[in-house]
Amino acid sequence: GSGGSENSGEEGGMNLLEDGKLTYASSGLYKPFSFEEGGDLQGFDVEIGAAIAEEMGLEPNPVTSPWETIIQSLLGNKFDAVIGSMSITKERAERVAFSDPYYYSGGMIFVPEGSDIQGAEDLEGKRIGVVAQSTYDEAAQEYTDDIKYYNSDVVALKDLTVEGRLDAVITADVVGFEAISSGMAIQEVGEPLWVEQPAFAVRPEDEELLAEMDKALDAIIENGTYAEISEKYFGRDLLDVDLEGITILE
Amino acid sequence: MMEFLQTMLEVIKRTAPGFLEATVLTLQVTAVALVLGTLLGLVFALMKISKSKILQTIANIYITIIRGTPLIVQIMFLYFGITAVIILDAFWAGAIALGIHNGAYIAEIFRGAIQSIDKGQREASMALGMTRGQSMKRIIFPQALKRSIPPLGNQFIITLKDSSLVYIISVSELFAVANRDAAQSYQPFETYLVVGLYYLVLVMIFTAILRWYEGRLNVDK
Amino acid sequence: MMEFLQTMLEVIKRTAPGFLEATVLTLQVTAVALVLGTLLGLVFALMKISKSKILQTIANIYITIIRGTPLIVQIMFLYFGITAVIILDAFWAGAIALGIHNGAYIAEIFRGAIQSIDKGQREASMALGMTRGQSMKRIIFPQALKRSIPPLGNQFIITLKDSSLVYIISVSELFAVANRDAAQSYQPFETYLVVGLYYLVLVMIFTAILRWYEGRLNVDK
Amino acid sequence: MLKATNLHKSFGKLEVLKGIDLEVQPSEVVVLVGVSGSGKSTLLRCFNFLERINQGSIEIDGQVIDAKKQKLSQVRAEVGMVFQHFNLFPHKTVLENVIEAPIVVKKENKETAIAKGKALLEKVGLADKADVYPSKLSGGQKQRVAIARALAMEPKALLFDEPTSALDPELVGEVLAVMKQLAEEGMTMVVVTHEMKFAREVADRIIMLDEGVIIENTDPKTFFENPSNERTRQFISLVE
Amino acid sequence: MLKATNLHKSFGKLEVLKGIDLEVQPSEVVVLVGVSGSGKSTLLRCFNFLERINQGSIEIDGQVIDAKKQKLSQVRAEVGMVFQHFNLFPHKTVLENVIEAPIVVKKENKETAIAKGKALLEKVGLADKADVYPSKLSGGQKQRVAIARALAMEPKALLFDEPTSALDPELVGEVLAVMKQLAEEGMTMVVVTHEMKFAREVADRIIMLDEGVIIENTDPKTFFENPSNERTRQFISLVE
Ligand SMILES: Nc1ncnc2c1ncn2[C@@H]1O[C@H](COP(=O)(O)OP(=O)(O)OP(=O)(O)O)[C@@H](O)[C@H]1O
Ligand SMILES: Nc1ncnc2c1ncn2[C@@H]1O[C@H](COP(=O)(O)OP(=O)(O)OP(=O)(O)O)[C@@H](O)[C@H]1O
Ligand SMILES: [Mg+2]
Ligand SMILES: [Mg+2]
């Protein structure tokens, strides 16, 4: 737990929950971005958050929050920022302030192995699983009314392997690939539907904090820390993508 | 205050279509769970009071496990566990998990009611030449059933509220819909207040029906 | 079968560090909820049996609302609602929500126990010249308290299981940690089975302590 | 008619009946007395196999009953029992209480059972209460219904376990009157009671139990005026 | 000592006492009889203000008690009551039962209370049970403790509501003996009982209640041998 001395003098207007600490949240159910293994919270988002905090001279304090309520919790002062693969959308931007994107991610359709679904056009009227309050929810609504909501992408993907429960899951490509490489009997369909831009989210009034975080992001990209973390989890640099000809989700 | 009421009215209006639809699902899950739970409860209650040690043990294990673990764990376990055997969609998985959960509690209600019947009743019927079975069927059980009605009614209300937990396996009942609305609208306070009202009204209706029914039963005799 | 046991053993080993840590949190949330619930329960029970209509009404409203809405809605409402007033971290918000929830049930336990004391006790004490207050404090309440212990014990066990719901406001108790493990290991079936075992063992320990304590109480007198 | 030979009965380590020998002749009325806990109820219940005996034997109508070989429910149907707390079936009307066993146990047809049941209610003076539920009756009325219910099975003997102790004093008489009438009609009866007046007037024999042993077994006159045992004398002085 | 004038008491629409006039002299023993529901308990409870009266007045020691002005708990402390079901405090030992009220109500100091309590237990023959819990006592012993408990408040009068009806017959005597002793010592007593032998021997006066009205108020001899009312005669024939 983290008790609440708000506004501290030292960090000026950064309005941190705890002095000298950057408390940032992810769902913890989004392997390989945020997950818990052996009691430790880890993953790409968690390490990026740590690097950002250190760059800002703060102690990193990663926490988890169920995705459905993560924005409510941010606005309710439960933590300082979301560093949890939250993509920039217009609707979210009305409530929170976003940093620059910190990676690009493809929204991808996954189906059970051997499914007849060949592409997005086959999704018409099918049962699609997504995480509630995710960008994939809106995407799925374009294809079908039969949407099942989950609190974890991984659990949704697992349900794909249960015959008759789901026809497809829409989630981030990397999340699906991670599941496939762990032996789950699912496969991707076609190319990413779009590319989205996950970014750090803070309360709109925390402008100073956001500026500091943007500065820190530039710095870790510059000094190679970012590439190192990305390499560790994905074997490549996530920022290293060709954005030609692909829709960028807003 | 006026402003707050204004907001609340708006939230109620905005959420009504979705919430009412979800209410139907809540009631459906509850109904299936109750029917299944009552059947299971009856079977396990009879097992528990039977003379067979094996049947007693089976019933005890079932009841101990169900009463010893949280419902939400049972739901998750059943949803991911039962799939190895049969295919169930979320609605049925949720309703069945709730039903199995209820079964243990209802079994204890029936057993308690049966054992609460004065043992003079059994003795009197046996002294008249009835067998154990006849005595149970014609003398003990009818009285026990009547005595079970208030705690069963209570259990029904608990089930209605417990049905909120199947949201976790993506059944779009009241709480699931409220969650989505709270996140979308960024009005969690108002949304949860309204969905709480929905449950409260449902519970009060349920309670009123029960009171009326209990009253009728008492007048009958 | 062998293979299954093998897998289970591995899962138990793998999850042990995280689950044991989470068990501590589960017990802490439960303990806070129980202490708070008992205090609230006492206050509201006394209000309910008081002669003041206003106090009675307040207690009735509290109990009706708490018993008429799902715990998970109460948790969400408190966590996202109360933030407007004071800042509570998730642990305290969850424990307090659980405590307030418990208060209503414990109030009914105390009230039931007080009213179950034979009215001859009150009459005998009044006939000896005691005031209502003296009679309650010295004669009725000590007996009621003893009679409350079994249902209170039961309520304690319910609370232990209910504490699993505070996962939703991101308290890292057992069920939250199990969720995370299920999402990371791709082994939901085994994970939920193991976490179920944790709860079962806790409940059985709790139950054994209670039985022992009840036994001791009975010997005492 | 009823005969116990060397009857032993224990509850766990507590030996309640320690070798009872007792024979009841047809049409005899035997009153059983003794202080609380002496084993009176237990003895009665053994006669009706509501308790399993540990040792000894019980004969009904000259036939030894073997709990292992015989269907006890059938044996029980032959010896009726009336309880202290009536034990009427609260979910059935007075008439239904009376006809339940004949229909269920003896498979009597319903019309016959009703006709006989009504006659029995007439006999105990409750013809007008046939369609009433037991909760509406006074204690004395309840006990009279219980007697009619037992009689409906046409038992060879009737056992009474303190049939009037749960009654308000002014209601005792109506129940004793019915019992007296039955005795006069030749019913074989074993009656546990504290009503010494009834014992004196109606009993053919009075038996005193003390700590699981029969310490007095004699006619009423001798029992009250010249008991053989010191404890009997004590008991009489206490209850009279 | 105790005086009721035109006492009326209703429960809802049911008028249970319909204008009772009754005066009890100091040291007098009054036995109250009547069929179940006639209002005996209610009358006793009115004397002790466990029931509020609807009309009429009650005097204690010549002083009219006004429920609105006086602290009833203080008035109650002056008139003791012994109940049918003893109502001992099960969570307290026998001695604690006896000293509870003197300490709590009369603020007696503990040593004094214990000394007096032990003397009272001696008086009812239970000195050796002082540290035992009530659950370990027989019914007769419980009732004697209840009497000691009432005496500990040094009441001006004692009310008994069927003090022996919940007892096994062989235990009735020991309680009646204590009551008789109290009567001989000059305690003012009002006793509801069905023990006609006690009434005959100990009562100064017997009062018969019927449907909330006093229909007999006379000495025992007249009551049994020459009652003025037909219903009294009926009642006597039923209970004797
Ligand atoms: N089912 C039982 N289990 C254990 N002990 C029992 C049981 N039934 C009776 N007893 C004991 O057996 C003894 C004799 O009991 P029983 O009821 O036969 O006495 P009783 O003479 O009928 O007494 P009462 O006048 O109180 O009815 C008592 O000590 C009683 O506690
Ligand atoms: N608290 C009460 N509320 C309603 N009715 C009551 C109450 N107490 C007694 N009565 C009724 O008042 C009437 C007289 O009761 P009371 O107890 O005084 O009779 P009783 O002569 O003592 O009878 P018993 O011999 O059965 O004790 C009865 O009809 C009874 O049902
Ligand atoms: Mg007996
Ligand atoms: Mg009375």
Side-chain angles (χ1 to χ4, degrees), chain A residues 72 95 149 155 159 163 165, chain B residues 79-80 83 87-88 170 186:
Chain A
Q72 298 178 37
R95 289 284 159 168
Y149 294 96
V155 173
D159 245 17
E163 212 186 321
R165 266 194 190 161
Chain B
Y79 192 58
F80 293 110
T83 47
I87 297 160
L88 282 175
S170 72
Y186 303 105

Side-chain angles (χ1 to χ4, degrees), chain D residues 37 39-42 84 161-162 192:
Chain D
K40 305 180 296 293
S41 299
T42 307
Q84 179 175 3
D161 194 357
E162 305 201 25
V192 175

Side-chain angles (χ1 to χ4, degrees), chain A residues 67-117:
Chain A
W67 189 255
E68 310 94 277
T69 57
I70 205 162
I71 289 181
Q72 298 178 37
S73 300
L74 174 67
L75 299 177
N77 288 308
K78 314 298 184 196
F79 33 75
D80 302 318
V82 176
I83 303 183
S85 299
M86 181 176 285
S87 299
I88 301 170
T89 66
K90 264 194 208 139
E91 216 193 341
R92 285 174 182 156
E94 288 171 13
R95 289 284 159 168
V96 301
F98 281 112
S99 68
D100 300 331
Y102 67 104
Y103 70 91
Y104 298 98
S105 157
M108 190 86 146
I109 302 168
F110 290 90
V111 296
E113 261 179 11
S115 162
D116 348 319
I117 296 173

